[in-house]
């Protein structure tokens, strides 16, 4: 008898990917199949193994892409195929997430499963705007209610008359379309018109919006601000409170799209998220190795003739040493060589292989690397430049003008990785480009377009020039061509931007 795969019903939390539990994240990182909803953010999908099977079964009020029975069957079939599967659901699986129905279906089919709870929107979204759903002497109870049901008049919850008499906090899920009917029913059944109320759209995410008011004015406030789903309705004395965190981060509330290879985007996203930003990856670049092609194989054979090796990226360093080891050449073959690197990140990668650089320009750009290196290379010395096939011509131009003998050889190329993407670029405040190949990958290969409100950010002027070739002008360009340089220019601009926004 074939072994069945396990199913983990995992709560992803209310939106912010950082609110998933450690256990939920662990299951996500080890799954072989992923079944996910529309309210699950892209950042969490990226945590799943790249080769895992991803199945979208998004459901929103009025726009169900798949019936619940079909989702249940998919989970059963994945288990029968022996695949360990994560069913990733927004919020908590058992709080209006229909996780109970899935659990019953799995149990009936004798499928091994577990349920991993998540932060539900009823606590997460109000928290994000400073509303405590319970507070001593203000609200001693909290009641979670679906804003629409399959039964009952107009789909309204039948217990509204009872709810009107409660003194605690009422939290309505999926009730925006029924807001007027909910308000009317509560008022008719004795709820005071001046009862505090709030609506929270996309709670915990950078683009969250909210309005506060009274029960008798909240409809007008929502219409004025054009609040849209997914939104939560909070009614009760606690809705008037504002306990937002006093801690400030330079990029808190900023949504940043990052393009590039894994090594670069990993460092940049970690840096930006530590500064409070929310990041997404609308375009992922993968490294396609060219180290086994004839040009690079010849360069490896001729290593003794080179006096300098120049690295323009950490990817180049890694690819170069992989090829060296594949040819069964140990590092003694490089004992006579000096190394030049374009910046700190490349220097750190080189150091991880046991070598220190001999030259690095003060300004981390290809032109300055070329000019500075030309002054370092002695007459009769030969330079090897193993780098990206789309490397900047500024480097070789400077060396050529100085009469330096060099070999510029393609070691790898960066191409768009074809992956499932559910990024809504309309939410992005910034879109960062770290290379000319990233610019080309975005505008030529991805089919994506830049929203008018999104500012374009380039790591340096060479990348900005590549952007201009596609008819766009960089709004921001880092003066220091590093991850830190990008973070600095974003933080400076966001300080100006957030004064105009409700952050």
């Amino acid at each position: 008898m074939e072994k069945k795969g396990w199913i983990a019903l995992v709560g992803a939390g209310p939106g912010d990917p950082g609110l998933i539990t450690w256990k939920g994240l662990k299951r996500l990182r080890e799954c072989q199949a992923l079944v996910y909803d529309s309210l699950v953010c892209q950042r969490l999908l990226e945590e799943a193994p790249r080769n895992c099977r991803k199945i979208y079964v998004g459901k929103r009020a009025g726009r169900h892409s798949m019936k619940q029975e079909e989702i249940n069957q998919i989970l059963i079939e994945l288990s029968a195929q022996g695949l360990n599967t994560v069913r990733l659901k927004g919020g908590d699986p058992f709080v209006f997430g229909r996780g109970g129905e899935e659990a019953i279906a799995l149990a009936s089919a004798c499928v091994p499963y577990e349920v991993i709870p998540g932060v539900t929107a009823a606590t997460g979204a109000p928290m994000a705007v400073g509303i405590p759903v319970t507070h001593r002497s203000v609200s001693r109870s909290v009641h979670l209610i679906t804003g629409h049901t399959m039964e009952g008049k107009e789909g309204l919850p039948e217990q509204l008359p009872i709810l009107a008499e409660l003194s605690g906090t009422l939290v309505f899920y999926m009730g925006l379309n029924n807001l007027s009917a909910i308000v009317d029913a509560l008022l008719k059944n004795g709820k005071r018109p001046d009862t505090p109320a709030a609506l929270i759209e996309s709670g915990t995410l950078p683009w969250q919006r909210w309005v506060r008011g009274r029960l008798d004015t909240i409809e007008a406030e929502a219409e004025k601000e054009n609040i849209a789903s997914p939104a939560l309705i909070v009614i009760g004395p606690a809705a008037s409170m504002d306990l937002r965190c006093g801690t400030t981060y330079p990029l808190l509330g900023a949504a940043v799209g990052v393009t590039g290879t894994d090594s670069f985007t990993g460092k940049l996203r970690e840096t930006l998220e530590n500064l409070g930003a929310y990041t997404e990856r609308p375009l992922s670049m993968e490294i396609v190795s060219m180290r086994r092609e004839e040009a690079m194989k010849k360069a490896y054979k001729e290593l003794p003739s080179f006096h300098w090796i120049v690295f323009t990226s950490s990817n180049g360093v890694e690819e170069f040493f992989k090829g060296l080891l594949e040819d069964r050449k140990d590092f003694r073959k490089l004992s006579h060589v000096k190394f030049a690197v374009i910046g700190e990140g490349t220097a750190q990668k080189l150091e991880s292989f046991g070598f220190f650089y001999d030259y690095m320009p003060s300004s981390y750009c290809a032109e300055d690397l070329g000019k500075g290196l030309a002054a370092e290379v002695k007459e009769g010395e030969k330079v090897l430049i193993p780098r990206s096939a789309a490397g900047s011509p500024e480097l070789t131009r400077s060396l050529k003008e100085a009469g330096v003998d060099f070999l510029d050889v393609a070691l790898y190329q960066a191409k768009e990785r074809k992956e499932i993407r559910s990024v809504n670029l309309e939410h992005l405040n910034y879109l960062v480009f770290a290379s000319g190949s990233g610019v080309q990958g975005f505008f030529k290969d991805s089919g994506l377009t830049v929203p008018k409100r999104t500012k374009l950010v380039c790591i340096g002027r060479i990348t900005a020039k590549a952007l201009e070739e596609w008819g766009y002008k960089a709004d921001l360009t880092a003066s220091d061509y590093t991850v830190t340089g990008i973070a600095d220019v974003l933080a400076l601009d966001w300080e100006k931007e957030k004064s105009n926004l409700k952050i």
Side-chain angles (χ1 to χ4, degrees), residues 129-145:
V129 300
I131 298 174
V133 291
T134 64
H135 190 76
R136 187 176 181 182
S137 77
V138 176
S139 175
R140 295 186 177 183
S141 63
V142 58
H143 311 273
L144 313 185
I145 312 111

Side-chain angles (χ1 to χ4, degrees), residues 308-367:
W308 285 85
I309 298 179
V310 181
F311 292 117
T312 60
S313 71
S314 58
N315 291 316
V317 175
E318 187 162 347
E319 283 297 315
F320 177 83
F321 282 100
K322 281 182 180 178
L324 195 67
L325 294 173
E326 286 171 356
D327 279 353
R328 298 191 63 79
K329 292 182 173 68
D330 63 32
F331 296 167
R332 289 174 294 180
K333 296 290 184 181
L334 303 174
S335 61
H336 66 291
V337 173
K338 291 183 178 180
F339 293 97
V341 297
I342 198 168
E344 289 288 353
T346 308
Q348 289 173 10
K349 177 61 73 171
L350 180 64
E351 188 174 333
S352 72
F353 285 94
F355 294 93
F356 296 94
Y357 69 87
D358 296 279
Y359 175 73
M360 180 173 67
S362 56
S363 179
Y364 305 154
C365 70
E367 182 179 12

Side-chain angles (χ1 to χ4, degrees), residues 9-13 34-42 44-45 54-60 63-68 71 75 86-93 95-99 102 420 422:
L9 307 180
V10 179
L34 173 63
V35 180
Y36 64 99
D37 283 344
S38 58
L39 293 180
V40 173
C41 75
Q42 175 68 37
L44 287 179
L45 302 185
K54 296 183 176 71
I55 303 173
Y56 173 69
V57 293
K59 300 177 73 173
R60 287 198 183 181
R63 289 181 286 143
H64 288 198
S65 65
M66 192 174 292
K67 293 181 179 180
Q68 185 61 53
I71 297 173
L75 296 177
V86 164
R87 169 67 170 112
L88 196 60
K89 307 171 74 69
D92 181 278
V95 181
F96 302 121
R98 304 188 75 171
E102 293 170 358
I420 296 175
S422 60

Side-chain angles (χ1 to χ4, degrees), residues 282-315:
L283 175 71
S284 176
M285 306 293 291
E286 66 178 336
I287 297 299
V288 179
S289 179
M290 301 172 69
R291 62 179 184 269
R292 306 317 303 158
E293 295 192 7
E294 285 304 316
M296 197 60 218
K297 288 168 69 175
K298 182 180 179 182
Y300 281 126
K301 290 179 181 179
E302 297 177 354
L303 274 180
S305 68
F306 294 102
H307 301 84
W308 285 85
I309 298 179
V310 181
F311 292 117
T312 60
S313 71
S314 58
N315 291 316

Side-chain angles (χ1 to χ4, degrees), residues 46 50 258-266 269 280-289 315 319 388-390 412-419 421 431-448 463:
E46 294 171 10
R50 185 161 290 142
V258 177
T259 67
T261 59
D262 292 344
S263 60
F264 174 80
T265 57
R269 294 179 83 172
E280 288 192 343
R281 196 174 179 182
L283 175 71
S284 176
M285 306 293 291
E286 66 178 336
I287 297 299
V288 179
S289 179
N315 291 316
E319 283 297 315
S388 167
Y412 68 91
Q413 56 183 324
K415 289 187 175 182
E416 180 198 3
R417 180 184 288 123
K418 301 299 182 182
E419 292 180 339
R421 292 281 157 193
L431 180 59
V432 178
F433 293 101
S435 67
S437 58
V439 171
Q440 178 166 316
F442 184 91
F443 290 100
K444 181 181 179 181
D445 302 324
S446 72
L448 299 171
T463 305

Side-chain angles (χ1 to χ4, degrees), residues 54-192:
K54 296 183 176 71
I55 303 173
Y56 173 69
V57 293
K59 300 177 73 173
R60 287 198 183 181
R63 289 181 286 143
H64 288 198
S65 65
M66 192 174 292
K67 293 181 179 180
Q68 185 61 53
E69 293 74 15
E70 294 176 286
I71 297 173
N72 297 346
Q73 190 58 38
I74 285 174
L75 296 177
I76 293 170
E77 290 174 0
L78 289 172
S79 175
Q81 294 168 22
L83 298 178
N84 294 332
T85 302
V86 164
R87 169 67 170 112
L88 196 60
K89 307 171 74 69
D92 181 278
F94 283 0
V95 181
F96 302 121
R98 304 188 75 171
E101 296 174 47
E102 293 170 358
I104 291 171
L106 294 173
S108 298
C110 297
V111 172
Y113 74 92
E114 66 176 328
V115 181
I116 300 175
V119 177
T120 181
T123 55
M127 171 277 301
V129 300
I131 298 174
V133 291
T134 64
H135 190 76
R136 187 176 181 182
S137 77
V138 176
S139 175
R140 295 186 177 183
S141 63
V142 58
H143 311 273
L144 313 185
I145 312 111
T146 178
H148 66 85
T149 62
M150 294 176 63
E151 299 83 14
K153 184 181 178 182
E154 298 179 348
L156 288 175
E158 296 179 352
Q159 69 273 37
L160 278 173
I162 299 173
L163 293 171
E165 299 177 4
L166 299 175
S167 60
T169 304
L170 307 180
V171 182
F172 290 87
Y173 288 73
M174 304 165 288
L176 190 60
N177 290 337
N178 281 334
L179 177 60
S180 180
I182 289 171
V183 169
D184 287 346
L186 291 175
L187 289 173
K188 288 177 181 177
N189 286 279
K191 205 72 172 173
R192 289 173 56 96

